[in-house]
Amino acid sequence: MSAASGRPPLLTLDTLVRLTRGPGGVTAPEPPRRLAVPDGMTAPLGCDAVSVPARLGPLLMPRLPRVGCVYADEARWWWLVPSDSDYALEWPAPAHYATGARLPDSPHVPGLIHRPDGTLPYTPPIPLYLALCRLTGTTPTWSRAISA
């Protein structure tokens, strides 16, 4: 109940969709975890993330003209990119594009392994996309034949 009104809190449709049943009754799930922008940095363009399997991370780093914030754990490496960096792009498998830099269910948040100089946390998405296409043998979206 709300202390101010004496009524139960208002549940939105979004809240109702996320409710789960458990042994103790109905509970709301924990909010999604996100990769955090380090202190002293700003993300004026919003923040999404691109992850790849950990085996590809060290291969991508030297191919990039600028590397922004990179996070890693034993399974995946994550690059912060500006919001909507997936617009009109199909990121090649096995990459995962995470809107809002939200992490999938995992036991912990990856650690920051690279922080760029300056205040912007971004890796430029087009060079990242092209380097990933090259490593995976994928033709970039704009180079594919269009069928009639």
Side-chain angles (χ1 to χ4, degrees):
M1 286 208 190
S2 171
S5 67
R7 295 182 302 217
L10 181 65
L11 296 177
T12 65
L13 182 57
D14 186 48
T15 303
L16 291 172
V17 167
R18 292 189 329 251
L19 291 177
T20 60
R21 289 195 179 272
V26 176
T27 59
E30 291 184 29
R33 286 187 292 217
R34 298 173 189 254
L35 293 171
V37 173
D39 289 339
M41 299 190 100
T42 61
L45 302 175
C47 222
D48 289 347
V50 176
S51 77
V52 299
R55 65 181 168 75
L56 295 178
L59 301 173
L60 281 169
M61 292 288 273
R63 294 173 181 254
L64 299 171
R66 180 185 189 284
V67 179
C69 289
V70 181
Y71 299 80
D73 59 23
E74 58 281 347
R76 300 193 74 79
W77 283 34
W78 299 81
W79 278 263
L80 291 184
V81 294
S83 291
D84 299 323
S85 292
D86 61 337
Y87 182 76
L89 288 180
E90 293 174 28
W91 286 84
H96 170 76
Y97 190 87
T99 302
R102 287 186 193 96
L103 296 169
D105 293 334
S106 64
H108 55 45
V109 175
L112 181 66
I113 63 166
H114 183 269
R115 178 187 171 133
D117 294 333
T119 60
L120 296 176
Y122 306 123
T123 294
I126 298 301
L128 178 60
Y129 174 79
L130 290 172
L132 190 55
C133 284
R134 180 97 171 165
L135 281 177
T136 60
T138 305
T139 302
T141 303
W142 55 78
S143 296
R144 295 182 190 151
I146 299 174
S147 60

